[in-house]
Structure formats: C-alpha cells, structure tokens
Amino acid sequence: MTADAFQLYGTRAAEPKPVTLRAGALSAELVNGNLRTIRHGGTEVLRAIAYIVRDRDWGTYEPDLTDLTIDQTDDRFSVSYAASCLGPDGSRLGFDATIEGSADGRLVFDVTALPESDFETNRCGFCILHPIAGLAGSPVTVEHTDGSVVETELPDLIDPWQPFKDLRAITHQVRPGVVAQCRMEGEAFEMEDQRNWSDASYKAYVRPLALPWPYVLPAGEPMRQTISLRITGDANVPASAAPAEPVRVELGQAGAKLPDIGIVVYPEEIEAALADLPLLRGLGPRQLLFHFDPTRGHGLEALRAHARLAAAYPVSTTLECVVACAGDLDAELSEIADMVCRAGLRLDAIAVSPAVDRQSTPPGSAWPACPPLEDVYAAARRGFPGLRLGGGMFSYFTELNRKRVPASQLDFITHCTNPIVHAADDLSVMQSLEALPFITRSTRAIFGTKPYRIGPSTIAMRQNPYGGATKDNPQGQRIAMANRDPRHAAQFAAAWTIGCAARVAPAGLEMLTLSSFAGPFGVVAGSGEPVAEGSPRPIFQAVKGLCELAGLTHVSAMTSDETRVLALAGRSASGETIVWLANLTPNDMRVDTSALGRGDLVMSPYAITRIGYFSEFIT
C-alpha cells in the first residue's frame, strides 16, 4: 500500500534516509553523520554512537555537513565529513569526523572539534546508547578512567542517578559466545539511565554533570574524542528470520481492570470543547483533568471555565493544581479552595505539585528551595477535605524517581512521560514505548500498590523541565522538546497512542491521559493539517477506542515482534474480547490473527485496527 507522507506524519518533510554500512557481520546505519542501529550478525549491539552538541536549554543542534565521503567494500567501510554548528550569538563550532568499520568486528568513530570563536554549550561530544531489550539487569564489565575494572550489571529498575561514572570502557555480551567492548577516549564519560525519560537506552556521555554547565569551548582550542567498538567471539553468524514471516498475536491471562481514560483540559481550550460537545461525548473520556496554574495567571475565571465544561460533560474530575509555595501554604490552598467553590466547580480529586518541581534538578545541582512535601500535602488536605488527593510530578518519571514523594499522605501517585526529550526522529519516538514497562515497574517498586496515574503524555512537550522553555515549532518539524509536533495531527500519533496504552496496561493504572480535546495536544484538527479543521484527527479514533476499553478486564496480549506491532486487549463481563493492534512502522505489516479467530491481515503504515469477538473467560 502506498501511503501519503502528510497523512502519516503531518508534514511532507522527509527524514534523511539512512545509509547502511556493512563489513562482514558488522552493520550500522549512517544518519546525519551519526551511527545508529549498530548490529553484529543481526543482533543490535549499540543503539547509537552520535556526536552531539547541545545548547544552554539542552536543545540539540542540527550540524551542517560538508565533504561527505563514503567508501565500502565487502570487508570494510569508511566515512569522513566536516560539520559545523552555528550558535544563537553567531559563534561557530566546526568539527571533522572519520568512521571506520571492518569485518573483524572493529568500529572506530573519531571527531576533532575546533571552535572558531568562544562557543557556549551544555554538552559537546559523543553519546553512546546501549539498548535495553535483553540488556537491562545483565552483567557488564566496566573500566574506569583510573584503570580499575569492575564486574557489575546494568540497572534493572531505573536508576535515578548515574549508575557508572568515570567511564573508560564498558563490555557486554551480545549473544552467547560474542562480547562487545566500547572504549571511550578523550574525556571522562559517565552513564545515565535514559529510561527515566522513556528513552529505550542507557546513555554514556561526555563531561560529568557535576561540572558546571553551560560552559564555553575556547576559540581555537581543538578537542578530540574517539569511540572504539570491538566485537569478539564466535564467528558463526546466526541465521536471520525470514523477513516475510507475519507478526503473530497471542492472548494470555486476564488481569486487572483497564484504566479510565482522561483528557487534560486547559482553560484556553474550554470554549472549543463546549462548542462541540457531541464530538466530546462521542470520544467518551471518563475523566477530565483540569489544569490550573496560578503562577501563570490562572484564577477565578479559569476555574469558572472549567466549571462550565464539568457541568456540560458530567464525568469524574481532577484539578491538576500547581502550588506556588510562596508563603503560607494553608492560606494559598484555602484561597484556591475558595475560588473553586465560588466558581461552582465540582471536583472528585485534586493533584498538587510545587511550582519549583516543574524544573528538573540534575545530578550535582543544588535543589531549589521548597517547603517539605509533607507540609504541602497536609495543607491540601485541609483546604480540600473529602477529595481524593494526588501527588507526584507534573513533569516526568525522572523527577519523581529523583524526588520520591511521601506517598503515605496521598490517595494516588501521578507523573507524565514524553518521547521527544532527547531525540525526535520517528524511530526514536516509537522506540520510547519499550521503556514504559520499566517506568511502571520502577514506580511500583517505589510506591507499591498505591493507585497510579500517568499523563498527560503526548508526543509534543507541554513543559520543559530542563531549560527555560519548550521549543517553538512554527515550521512543523521533528524537533526535540517542541511544544507542537506535526505527527500528533497524523496517523503516527494514533499508532503511538495505542502502543503507549498497550505498554502500560499491565501496571494496573487507575487513569491514563494521552491527549486534550483541542489545541496542539488535542484530538480535533486545527488549520493546515492532514484532515479538515475542526474534524477528528486520527488520534481521535485511538483515544475513543481506549475509552471503550476503560473498565474492562485487561487480557495479556503479546506479539512475536513488539518493535513492529503492539496489541492491547480487554474483556467485557459478557465475554466479548476487544483487541486493538498498532503498526509501529512506516511499512505495510502482515499480522497473523489466527489466535483471535481470524486469518492474516495487512496493516498499512502506522495503522490501528480493532478486532472484537466473543470468547470463553480466561482465568
């Protein structure tokens, strides 16, 4: 099937096509001068080796490449190029890169950077990504910069800080009989657990976070770094699976109830929802999450707007309330409670979080002044007696993992996720789904059986905990940390949304929020999108399908390749089983649904499909 790129991605801008580099059993994809999907005998060894330059808000520069040369033979390949990054103040950083790979399992990526003028950056150097599938919790050998060697393991539960510092090399098993050593020269490296941000990787990076940032690279001072990968062991390469084999879907045991599906509601978007109540009712969310932030001008009128929607669409309601914590907590929370009462807003729950906790506190940084969370939650209890009280982070799991809230005072825990914190290419966004089960399992390890909510979680970023602001994206590009993303308006978002719900379903959430109604995070189109303004975006059907599943018994649903197709299943009291499938790839995908009483079906790129049938209960 031929799919229109605009319908798939919300933009006609195509991602650069990777160049596949091969030398015997070693292969890698070259994209924008960096390497990704580095394999040996078809097994992924590293997810990426990339030379990264970041600005003071942790945004990533897109360097201009020149003089690109690629040479390949059967047993070796080589790449060379020059590149430069232009800073906002006109400063420029140039660098020269060479990449060499050979059939004996050696790969070397070397870069020498030379600032033409003083260049400000938060990071300049290599990032090496180890995959998480099959590696989480596995043994590794770590060599430090002082020459000491430690036998240890990669974290299984997500590490809030850096599991390894002062890195010189790390060695892991690729498959039985084959090991890979990644050596990092030029500066001291350390590793962070990128699953915190829902990245599907462990990242070794240059320059310890305990050192000051941003920092300045002095003009005219060269800086060289080299990454060397050495793969050794059994030379026999395993046979690869037949590419035409369909992805199989299988169902397992029944579990907990599937979560309520909420939508986040911002005061400025309420009129759009009120103007199209039939569409909101057709969507069918069971929860409205009302965002309220007095530090950004929200007051009585915002609460009155929320009250109008709560009256027009009477489902469960939660106030997501940012607390300024600028003075007397009881006075602040009592004032908000008084405004809620005056606005006539009916609430079932309130979630509170200090305003300063919207910003991240990286390793080595000083924690900002903030009243004890015990005091914040106690004041919220006194201000809103009788309501369920939630807490956690309105940012991401990273912040919750690093600042573990006193859950004994809370009725539920909450946090968000976002897939474009570090990278915004299509593959990385879909790969982020792999990290979600680790996030939910780590949360459960911290907070036990406490009721648990996730969201709002959308492709676009609603706030940037790591810099001054999210990135504006007027051209509709694929940009990390952007407050708008073209894929949200297209079929890509529908597949990502079903995939997200499938990955977190085993955690037994009580609520999952994956969109708003209108606006950049909504299910209704704006102007210039793949569908007409005011009509449902493709994500509408995905969220509507999840709303249909809410409250049903979760049935474990597995596929033979969850990097390509994910499945989510629920069973009603009458015995009807509903299965949603999502194709996570830009290719047609053949799926074997014989376990669902059907035959093979062909799913178009990023398609979602619903299969319903009656079956006996699985106990």
Side-chain angles (χ1 to χ4, degrees), residues 91-116:
S91 59
R92 186 181 295 274
L93 173 74
F95 56 92
D96 294 310
T98 61
I99 302 170
E100 295 185 352
S102 57
D104 64 359
R106 297 179 186 269
L107 176 65
V108 179
F109 196 157
D110 181 88
V111 171
T112 298
L114 183 66
E116 296 178 12

Side-chain angles (χ1 to χ4, degrees), residues 479-502:
I479 300 175
M481 298 187 178
N483 50 28
R484 290 175 179 268
D485 191 288
R487 291 164 294 192
H488 183 87
Q491 189 61 40
F492 186 99
W496 181 85
T497 296
I498 294 295
C500 183

Side-chain angles (χ1 to χ4, degrees), residues 314-328:
V315 294
S316 294
T317 56
T318 298
L319 188 69
E320 182 187 54
C321 182
V322 175
V323 184
C325 299
D328 184 275

Side-chain angles (χ1 to χ4, degrees), residues 102-163:
S102 57
D104 64 359
R106 297 179 186 269
L107 176 65
V108 179
F109 196 157
D110 181 88
V111 171
T112 298
L114 183 66
E116 296 178 12
S117 54
D118 287 356
F119 190 88
E120 184 184 62
T121 181
N122 273 0
R123 176 171 295 154
C124 179
F126 278 109
C127 291
I128 301 97
L129 305 185
H130 283 74
I132 59 176
L135 279 187
S138 66
V140 292
T141 302
V142 170
E143 180 182 335
H144 294 289
T145 55
D146 63 2
S148 61
V149 176
V150 178
E151 300 294 332
T152 182
E153 61 185 34
L154 290 166
D156 181 20
L157 298 177
I158 300 174
D159 196 318
W161 309 109
Q162 301 101 318

Side-chain angles (χ1 to χ4, degrees), residues 556-594:
S556 175
M558 299 144 290
T559 73
S560 58
D561 188 346
E562 294 191 332
T563 67
R564 295 190 290 168
V565 177
L566 282 173
L568 175 66
R571 180 167 296 136
S572 69
S574 65
E576 183 187 15
T577 299
I578 299 170
V579 182
W580 279 92
L581 303 175
N583 178 1
L584 308 181
T585 77
N587 307 308
D588 292 344
M589 197 60 54
R590 193 156 62 96
V591 182
D592 175 1
T593 60
S594 57

Side-chain angles (χ1 to χ4, degrees), residues 260-278:
D260 280 356
I261 301 300
I263 60 169
V264 61
V265 180
Y266 299 96
E268 62 271 20
E269 297 167 1
I270 286 175
E271 293 306 320
L274 289 170
D276 206 346
L277 281 173

